[in-house]
Amino acid sequence: MSQREQPTTVPMLIDGAWREADTLLDVRDPYRGDIVSRAPESTRVDLDDALNAAVRAKKVMAAMPGFERATVLRRAIALLLERADMIADIMSRETGKAIKDSRNEIIRSQDTLSLSAEEAIRIEGEHVPLDGTAMGAGKIAFLLRFPIGVVAGITPFNAPFNLAAHKIAPALAAGNSIVIKPPPQAPRTVHELVRLFVDAGAPAGSVNSLYGNEIGQLLVRDPRVDFITFTGSTRVGAEIKAASGLRRVALELGGTGQTIICEDGDLETAAPLVARNAMRLAGQSCISVQNVYVHSSVIETFSKSVAEEVGKLKFGDPLDPDTDVGTLIDEAAARRVESWVEEAVSQGARLMAGGGRTGAQLEPTVLSGVKPDMKVVCQEVFGPVVSLQAFDDVEKVFDTISDSPFGLQCGIFTARLELAVRAVKRLRTGGVILNGTSTWRTDQLAYGGVKDSGIGREGPRYAIRDMTEERLVLFNM
């Protein structure tokens, strides 16, 4: 998508056909301010048609052998390879993401589709040994897995392509149909993913796309939906959980990105990782490094190193291949983060780097001397800001992290194996990264949080497990 190209009107996909909407919403490039795409505002009629199509298609998908589902996914991968640069360009224009990060996201999405294709042919149950009791002796039992039905997927703007792939690809691999509701900020990015599946030969109705600010609420409340998978804020996740009733959900929600730097940790490795992983994607990641607890004996040295590393990052035009940090999703988001930084400084935090804002772009920012009740510490910043605070007793840090509302991922740098094992046992989070930061995810792992950070796990194998139902089969012999 060139900078001079006219805005593209994004259609919905319903029952295998593209559908235009009467009402369109403009999407602006956060860096340049021009309109780059126009998204449809889906209606109740669109919702009904999409869900009815998905209900019909779930029978077709359930009857499709695993190897055929895998074939569709592999065709989509081949098409993605052909369109990768184009899609990355669209993503950077819609979201302000640095083009190098957009390209990396497309590469990761290839993995997501490939892993889903592999899992499509290895969905398995288990034998249940019954001869452990007199009642069961002589009988044979199996647990088999079957598709759950219609999946509703709602995705965010920060990794719009790959996170939508993490909904659609496992749903199809498991033999389900899906209605996807992309973020309003990146409609064309997700449209291009949906188009891959259409062009790859996915059955009509197996993938449907709806757009708009209100349609998501209607979608998750509709009884035709059998399973809900959502990535986004804790607030919206709680609303979805309340609306889901007895239906199962997978919720990948927010976090406050804690990383612990012990006195015996590798500081030369840790400082660049903390700096880079706090600022990549302009800090708009659930596992972005936000809170860094540093042993008091090394905090001065470490803080200066992080500030120096942050100063090396280039921020500016997202389409410049040399740019490390693009914009936030819009100016309102940048203003919010700026106000949190200013509030922290007014309450005694020390600004060690950054803090300036131009439009939707906020300079990569480093704070030290923060307090636990500051917003930049206890709430999810979702911006290019990292806060450092000293500690003397690591056990108290473990308590602070475990007792906090969030529990997505935590990193710890230490040379002591005993301390690393203790951290794994003590930290109540979805993942503990040893000698790494909170910002680490590869697409085949079980990814997700506990407490206010979510329910369930993503990753094709684990998503497919959630998107299938167990059925007991008993043979009376």
Side-chain angles (χ1 to χ4, degrees):
M1 180 179 183
S2 72
Q3 298 178 36
R4 295 177 296 276
E5 184 178 332
Q6 290 299 309
T8 297
T9 298
V10 176
M12 296 171 277
L13 177 67
I14 298 176
D15 202 13
W18 300 112
R19 179 182 295 188
E20 303 292 336
D22 293 333
T23 303
L24 298 174
L25 302 175
D26 292 340
V27 178
R28 293 184 179 273
D29 179 329
Y31 184 76
R32 293 171 177 79
D34 56 322
I35 299 172
V36 293
S37 56
R38 292 189 170 95
E41 184 81 15
S42 300
T43 65
R44 167 69 82 170
V45 171
D46 299 324
L47 174 69
D48 285 339
D49 290 346
L51 283 172
N52 287 336
V55 169
R56 292 190 295 270
K58 73 178 182 180
K59 299 176 182 178
V60 176
M61 292 301 298
M64 181 184 291
F67 79 91
E68 291 186 6
R69 301 196 298 267
T71 297
V72 171
L73 288 162
R74 292 188 182 110
R75 287 180 190 144
I77 296 168
L79 293 169
L80 178 56
L81 290 172
E82 297 173 3
R83 304 172 188 178
D85 289 344
M86 177 266 290
I87 297 172
D89 194 66
I90 292 169
M91 194 188 314
S92 289
R93 288 279 273 146
E94 286 191 323
T95 67
K97 179 179 295 191
I99 189 66
K100 65 173 66 174
D101 287 329
S102 293
R103 290 169 179 163
N104 286 336
E105 182 171 335
I106 298 301
I107 292 171
R108 284 188 57 182
S109 300
Q110 295 168 25
D111 291 339
T112 302
L113 298 184
S114 178
L115 291 163
S116 297
E118 294 297 317
E119 294 297 334
I121 59 175
R122 54 173 81 137
I123 299 171
E124 57 187 12
E126 62 179 292
H127 168 235
V128 184
L130 294 181
D131 60 354
T133 66
M135 180 179 291
K139 295 177 171 57
I140 299 174
F142 296 95
L143 287 172
L144 301 180
R145 303 202 73 89
F146 293 88
I148 199 166
V150 175
V151 174
I154 301 178
T155 56
F157 65 78
N158 57 319
F161 196 88
N162 193 37
L163 291 179
H166 269 286
K167 313 299 187 192
I168 300 174
L172 297 184
N176 299 304
S177 59
I178 184 168
V179 178
I180 190 81
K181 207 289 287 186
Q185 302 93 336
R188 190 181 170 196
T189 301
V190 181
H191 164 71
E192 292 299 333
L193 174 63
V194 170
R195 191 159 69 96
L196 291 177
F197 290 104
V198 173
D199 294 346
S206 61
V207 181
N208 305 271
S209 58
L210 299 172
Y211 300 79
N213 295 317
E214 307 299 330
I215 206 68
Q217 297 178 21
L218 299 175
L219 177 61
V220 299
R221 286 174 168 77
D222 198 289
R224 287 167 289 187
V225 171
D226 300 299
F227 180 81
I228 303 164
T229 173
F230 168 78
T231 301
S233 72
T234 297
R235 177 187 61 80
V236 176
E239 293 173 358
I240 289 173
K241 183 66 174 65
S244 65
L246 297 178
R247 292 170 297 166
R248 290 178 11 224
V249 298
L251 305 174
E252 197 277 281
L253 308 177
T256 50
Q258 304 98 337
T259 295
I260 305 167
I261 312 297
C262 298
E263 67 273 26
D264 62 341
D266 184 346
L267 303 188
E268 291 185 3
T269 297
L273 285 175
V274 165
R276 185 165 62 250
N277 291 337
M279 305 307 164
R280 64 179 295 272
L281 309 181
Q284 297 173 126
S285 169
C286 299
I287 49 175
S288 177
V289 177
Q290 177 179 326
N291 286 296
V292 184
Y293 299 88
V294 188
H295 194 271
S296 59
S297 64
V298 297
I299 190 165
E300 285 301 322
T301 300
F302 187 78
S303 298
K304 290 178 181 177
S305 296
V306 170
E308 289 173 2
E309 292 293 335
V310 166
K312 297 175 185 178
L313 298 173
K314 178 179 179 181
F315 70 102
D317 185 351
L319 295 182
D320 183 342
D322 294 328
T323 294
D324 297 304
V325 182
T327 72
L328 277 80
I329 191 61
D330 55 34
E331 186 170 349
R335 287 182 181 277
R336 175 190 60 79
V337 178
E338 179 187 38
S339 72
W340 286 17
V341 171
E342 291 174 344
E343 180 180 83
V345 171
S346 71
Q347 294 173 353
R350 178 185 172 193
L351 183 65
M352 300 189 66
R357 182 186 63 81
T358 303
Q361 196 144 49
L362 187 72
E363 293 176 356
T365 301
V366 180
L367 296 171
S368 65
V370 295
K371 300 172 184 175
D373 58 350
M374 292 177 176
K375 290 178 183 176
V376 293
V377 174
C378 64
Q379 298 185 35
E380 185 176 33
V381 173
F382 224 62
V385 178
V386 63
S387 296
L388 301 101
Q389 51 187 304
F391 75 88
D392 291 306
D393 184 351
V394 74
E395 295 294 334
K396 291 182 179 179
V397 177
F398 291 166
D399 288 338
T400 296
I401 294 172
S402 296
D403 293 342
S404 74
F406 296 102
L408 192 47
Q409 288 192 172
C410 177
I412 181 169
F413 285 85
T414 180
R416 287 171 285 168
L417 179 60
E418 178 274 333
L419 179 57
V421 172
R422 197 157 79 246
V424 171
K425 292 180 178 179
R426 292 268 282 109
L427 290 166
R428 192 181 172 213
T429 61
V432 178
I433 313 301
L434 303 177
N435 290 317
T437 72
S438 63
T439 313
W440 201 90
R441 178 184 183 183
T442 185
D443 293 280
Q444 70 263 47
L445 286 183
Y447 172 76
V450 295
K451 300 178 288 185
D452 286 357
S453 290
I455 299 170
R457 293 293 182 268
E458 279 196 336
R461 177 183 177 186
Y462 308 96
I464 288 170
R465 183 179 63 192
D466 282 348
M467 293 178 182
T468 53
E469 297 174 330
E470 280 188 324
R471 190 171 302 160
L472 172 67
V473 181
L474 177 67
F475 290 86
N476 283 294
M477 307 299 289

